[in-house]
Amino acid sequence: MRRPFIAGNWKMTQSRAEAVALAQGIVSQQGKTEIEVAIAPPSVYLDAVSQVTKGSAVGLSAQNMYHEANGAFTGEISASMLLDLSCKYVILGHSERRHILGETDADVNRKVHAALAAGLVPIVCVGETLAEREAGNTKSVVQQQFDGSLAGLSNEQMSDVVIAYEPVWAIGTGKVATPDQAEEVHADLRKLLETRYNSNVAAAVRIQYGGSVKPDNAAELLGQPNIDGALVGGASLKVDSFLGIIAAAK
Ligand code: PGA
C-alpha cells in the first residue's frame, strides 16, 4: 500500500512572517494521519519554518539543491545543509527550473544521486509542455525525463524516490489535467518503473500529480489508481485550501 503524499510548493513567495504564519496555520490543524504531508518554503525561510514543523506531522522540503557536497559554489545549497535545517525532502527538476533556469535531465540526475546519498527523499518532477502534448509526444517526453533524471539508481534507491507528474501546461494556469489524462501518464510511469526496475519498486513508488490541484478537483484526481498524492503550488499558499486537498486525499 502506498501512503498518499501531499506536498505544498511555495515557490518564490511569502515574506518571512508570512511563511511562519502559513506553516503555523497548517501545523496547528494537521495531526498525524494516514496522509504524508510536507511543505516547501523558500530556502531562506527553511530555518524559521523548521522551528514550526519540528515534532509535527508536517515534513519540511526544500525546492532545490546543488549536487556537490561543499566547496566554492557561490549561491548554492548542499544536501547536508538541507538536512542540517531538518529537511526530509527536496523537490528536484521542477519544470520552472528546467524551463526557466535551464536545468537538464543530467543536472537533475546528479542532484537525485546526491540527495539520496545524503538521506533526503527526492521529489522528482517530470512533465510535457503544451506543444509536446499537442504533437503527441507526451509519452516519449516523460519517458526521456524519467530515464535521464533517474539514471543509475539501484532498486533500493528508486523505492525511496517520489515522482511528480506535472504537465507544464497545467502549472499555475488553472487548467488541470482531466483525471483520465493524468491517470494515463501515471500508468505509463508505473509501467516504466516495472520495466526499468521491478514490480516491487513499481508497487512502492509514490507518483504525485501536480498542476492546478485545488480542493474541488483533488478527490477525483487522487481517486485514480496510479495517482498517489499531489504536488500543490498556488493552492498550498492558503491554509484552508491546502488542508482541503489533504482532506480530499483521505
Ligand atoms: P500549481 O503549481 O498548483 O500552482 O499549478 C504546481 C507546481 O508547480 O508544483
Side-chain angles (χ1 to χ4, degrees):
M1 238 338 245
R2 295 182 294 272
R3 188 177 180 209
F5 179 25
I6 308 292
N9 174 10
W10 298 358
K11 309 192 179 182
M12 198 176 73
T13 74
Q14 315 299 302
S15 67
R16 180 188 174 95
E18 286 167 345
V20 168
L22 181 53
Q24 281 167 340
I26 294 163
V27 164
S28 66
Q29 293 185 60
Q30 181 59 35
K32 290 216 175 7
T33 66
E34 70 275 25
I35 313 294
E36 194 167 321
V37 175
I39 52 178
S43 55
V44 288
Y45 304 138
L46 282 169
D47 205 12
V49 170
S50 79
Q51 305 305 316
V52 180
T53 56
K54 197 166 44 184
S56 80
V58 178
L60 192 61
S61 176
Q63 299 176 14
N64 182 35
M65 54 167 260
Y66 194 57
H67 67 273
E68 293 286 354
N70 67 68
F73 305 103
T74 301
E76 296 297 335
I77 301 172
S78 71
S80 63
M81 292 172 181
L82 297 179
L83 284 170
D84 209 8
L85 297 176
S86 311
C87 285
K88 178 169 178 201
Y89 314 88
V90 59
I91 300 169
L92 295 176
H94 188 278
S95 72
E96 286 147 19
R97 297 211 56 84
R98 291 176 183 270
H99 295 288
I100 304 172
L101 286 309
E103 246 177 52
T104 65
D105 287 327
D107 294 329
V108 178
N109 187 239
R110 280 190 282 272
K111 294 180 182 196
V112 170
H113 280 274
L116 287 167
L120 287 167
V121 175
I123 301 172
V124 180
C125 306
V126 296
E128 81 289 0
T129 63
L130 184 58
E132 289 164 342
R133 172 164 285 266
E134 285 175 344
N137 294 334
T138 298
K139 190 171 176 164
S140 61
V141 166
V142 168
Q143 181 168 321
Q144 196 178 323
Q145 291 174 336
F146 178 101
D147 285 334
S149 304
L150 300 169
L153 300 183
S154 68
N155 291 345
E156 223 173 25
Q157 287 177 312
M158 188 63 226
S159 303
D160 290 336
V161 172
V162 174
I163 297 174
Y165 167 57
E166 300 205 300
V168 179
W169 48 272
I171 295 177
T173 57
K175 243 192 264 168
V176 65
T178 65
D180 285 349
Q181 281 175 323
E183 171 60 20
E184 189 183 352
V185 179
H186 281 240
D188 285 343
L189 283 165
R190 189 84 59 205
K191 269 188 223 117
L192 270 178
L193 285 165
E194 179 146 12
T195 51
R196 301 288 196 264
Y197 297 88
N198 62 33
S199 55
N200 290 338
V201 174
V205 170
R206 275 92 56 86
I207 310 176
Q208 297 175 318
Y209 168 80
S212 298
V213 177
K214 305 273 179 300
D216 61 1
N217 61 28
E220 213 188 341
L221 285 161
L222 294 165
Q224 301 302 308
N226 288 294
I227 301 183
D228 310 310
L231 182 54
V232 186
S236 73
L237 302 177
K238 293 259 178 330
V239 174
D240 287 353
S241 57
F242 191 54
L243 293 174
I245 292 167
I246 297 167
K250 285 176 190 165

